[in-house]
Amino acid sequence: MVSCSSDKIIEEQELPMSTDPMRFGVPSVGDIVQTKTVTRATAEELKSGFLVSVYKNRGTGSQQTVMNQYEAIYKQDDWYQNSQWGTVGTTADGFYQNQLEKYWDYSAFPYEFFAIAPCPTTQDKVIDGFGVTDTNLKIKSSFTHQTVVDGAVTASPFTGDNKEYLVSQVKRSRNTSSSDKTDDVDMLTGRTITSGGTPSGAVKLPFHHLTSKVRFAIYTTEHVDPKLTLPIKNVTVKATSADGFATGYEGYESTYSAGKTMFDNGQFTGITRKQPSEEVILLKFSGPTADKFTDAYLEKHEWKSTTDLNAYYFECEDGLLQMPQKDVKLTVSLEITGWGDEDKFTDVPLKIIKSDGNEDDQFTWRPNCLYTYYIVISRLYPHGITFTATVAPWEDVEGNLSTNLEE
């Protein structure tokens, strides 16, 4: 269990510092931010609840706990056609603990919010192995990475009782230009969420994934007649790491202080690793058996563009879940046939030319990021292969802390 904060907990009987209560609005779950050619999916409402701890005068000698691991429960009011996140009630109302109303104290900025979603509680306690305070985060959730073979992606590790848990850390401070306004900052990304907002206004809680996603795509920079689509087969992408490629974990823990984040000193627990430099196959694509693709295959997968706009993603466009790690090396093998020549490329190191002109063949996968690696057939005859890569944030899960039920 995560240890509680050592700062003073506000007495439950004290008079409210304002008449503006803290209430949670309706968070939403977004999809992945994909390439510029793919539109963002419509967000869904998050209805699984979350666990939140809130502190005022954060990082000062007078820091106090406002909410100590409060449970937020989703409530739908069909009569008034609205919904909200409730944090006030007793165990008789379905909360794991008795929770009182909390109010804004306008003399006590900055406030800081720490949260886990979905809420890891049972009927009467926080589940063993979980917790979130101003100094500690603990999550217990097993994970095994994903691979894809001829379009078949291994099942997500987050199924049934083994949920994917996301985290959020937001600070609300006084605006430096206007003392009656506030700024909200996502501490996990450094991004300003709201600048010059109302002190009692909605606090958006962007929840972030602890894992990464990786995907691979292929295209040619030479125009190809649709009836002579580039025949590619036996594509294999392998990964290695000097420390041993990490394929799974049992949980995540972090210890931090004021000004630091859940990610700064966070580490996965119960890590499963391959042997140092042992290869792990992430992708295999057998390809067509004939030199030309069938009409049906052409319609779906032809390389008809000289850019990445119509690249083929080997049926893993949504990305393959991976464990964040550093010093990853990738190799690519493939065969090109049907152009009066046949070439086999075996274990070609995947190297990216950086903006400074230098090559990079070791990659760091960070939490909440989607990495795309492009295999570029730069020449058809004689054949040539180059690589490019992009990184984009995984879409956030946003929750709102509101001052009234209708927001």
Side-chain angles (χ1 to χ4, degrees):
M1 186 68 177
V2 172
S3 60
C4 295
S5 171
S6 60
D7 56 33
K8 177 185 176 185
I9 297 178
I10 297 174
E11 297 295 333
E12 301 293 357
Q13 293 81 14
E14 74 173 358
L15 294 175
M17 305 302 289
S18 73
T19 58
D20 297 322
M22 290 184 178
R23 299 194 189 281
F24 287 86
V26 181
S28 60
V29 181
D31 203 349
I32 305 168
V33 176
Q34 298 183 337
T35 62
K36 56 190 175 183
T37 59
V38 182
T39 57
R40 182 178 298 180
T42 303
E44 302 175 356
E45 290 185 357
L46 174 67
K47 300 181 180 180
S48 57
F50 53 93
L51 191 71
V52 60
S53 292
V54 183
Y55 304 85
K56 68 179 184 178
N57 284 319
R58 171 63 168 157
T60 71
S62 56
Q63 177 175 307
Q64 291 179 306
T65 303
V66 180
M67 292 184 180
N68 182 32
Q69 298 196 133
Y70 266 38
E71 180 179 9
I73 297 177
Y74 182 84
K75 298 180 178 180
Q76 176 71 45
D77 190 329
D78 295 327
W79 180 263
Y80 290 101
Q81 294 296 305
N82 64 15
S83 56
Q84 69 181 72
W85 287 98
T87 57
V88 180
T90 67
T91 54
D93 300 313
F95 294 96
Y96 84 98
Q97 64 177 356
N98 296 333
Q99 300 179 171
L100 299 184
E101 190 83 86
K102 298 296 181 178
Y103 298 84
W104 288 101
D105 180 353
Y106 298 129
S107 67
F109 290 101
Y111 276 75
E112 197 154 355
F113 305 79
F114 303 83
I116 301 173
C119 189
T121 56
T122 61
Q123 186 176 0
D124 60 356
K125 68 174 184 177
V126 175
I127 298 173
D128 291 342
F130 288 88
V132 59
T133 71
D134 61 324
T135 58
N136 297 96
L137 170 72
K138 279 191 176 183
I139 290 176
K140 184 179 181 180
S141 178
S142 61
F143 171 86
T144 302
H145 80 132
Q146 289 182 302
T147 61
V148 58
V149 177
D150 288 332
V153 178
T154 52
S156 169
F158 303 120
T159 57
D161 293 335
N162 188 56
K163 300 179 178 64
E164 179 186 16
Y165 290 91
L166 298 88
V167 296
S168 181
Q169 182 179 348
V170 171
K171 177 181 281 189
R172 170 165 288 187
S173 307
R174 287 287 184 188
N175 183 277
T176 55
S177 301
S178 178
S179 60
D180 61 344
K181 301 293 184 180
T182 53
D183 298 334
D184 291 357
V185 174
D186 180 352
M187 296 294 289
L188 298 182
T189 64
R191 178 174 60 93
T192 298
I193 302 169
T194 303
S195 180
T198 304
S200 61
V203 177
K204 294 182 178 179
L205 299 176
F207 286 86
H208 299 285
H209 302 268
L210 294 173
T211 53
S212 310
K213 275 196 171 183
V214 176
R215 62 182 184 175
F216 303 92
I218 188 169
Y219 68 95
T220 176
T221 54
E222 292 193 18
H223 179 75
V224 179
D225 187 302
K227 296 303 181 183
L228 295 174
T229 298
L230 184 66
I232 301 292
K233 66 179 182 179
N234 296 331
V235 181
T236 302
V237 178
K238 301 175 185 176
T240 61
S241 172
D243 293 331
F245 187 81
T247 60
Y249 61 79
E250 295 298 326
Y252 183 85
E253 296 182 4
S254 182
T255 301
Y256 40 87
S257 56
K260 300 296 184 179
T261 77
M262 296 171 169
F263 288 167
D264 286 340
N265 297 310
Q267 58 184 354
F268 292 95
T269 59
I271 298 174
T272 301
R273 289 187 184 276
K274 297 295 185 179
Q275 293 297 314
S277 302
E278 181 181 355
E279 294 179 332
V280 176
I281 295 176
L282 299 181
L283 177 150
K284 291 193 74 172
F285 170 71
S286 299
T289 56
D291 285 348
K292 293 186 176 67
F293 295 140
T294 64
D295 289 341
Y297 198 92
L298 272 173
E299 182 179 351
K300 187 175 183 182
H301 299 312
E302 61 175 302
W303 287 277
K304 59 185 178 182
S305 173
T306 57
T307 71
D308 60 3
L309 299 182
N310 290 322
Y312 171 46
Y313 286 88
F314 300 107
E315 310 303 313
C316 64
E317 189 165 0
D318 287 338
L320 305 171
L321 287 167
Q322 302 296 324
M323 183 172 161
Q325 53 193 298
K326 63 181 181 179
D327 299 331
V328 176
K329 288 191 173 186
L330 301 169
T331 61
V332 176
S333 300
L334 59 81
E335 296 179 33
I336 304 176
T337 63
W339 286 82
D341 191 10
E342 180 167 338
D343 275 346
K344 293 183 179 180
F345 297 85
T346 303
D347 294 335
V348 179
L350 198 158
K351 297 181 180 181
I352 305 300
I353 304 298
K354 299 187 293 185
S355 57
D356 60 7
N358 294 319
E359 287 187 336
D360 188 5
D361 66 348
Q362 295 190 84
F363 308 102
T364 297
W365 295 341
R366 303 186 186 282
N368 204 63
C369 288
L370 169 66
Y371 296 88
T372 304
Y373 295 96
Y374 293 100
I375 303 168
V376 185
I377 308 302
S378 56
R379 294 188 311 275
L380 295 180
Y381 188 81
H383 305 316
I385 298 179
T386 58
F387 304 98
T388 61
T390 63
V391 58
W394 204 335
E395 181 60 271
D396 299 332
V397 181
E398 294 188 347
N400 297 325
L401 179 62
S402 303
T403 58
N404 61 68
L405 305 184
E406 287 73 35
E407 285 196 287

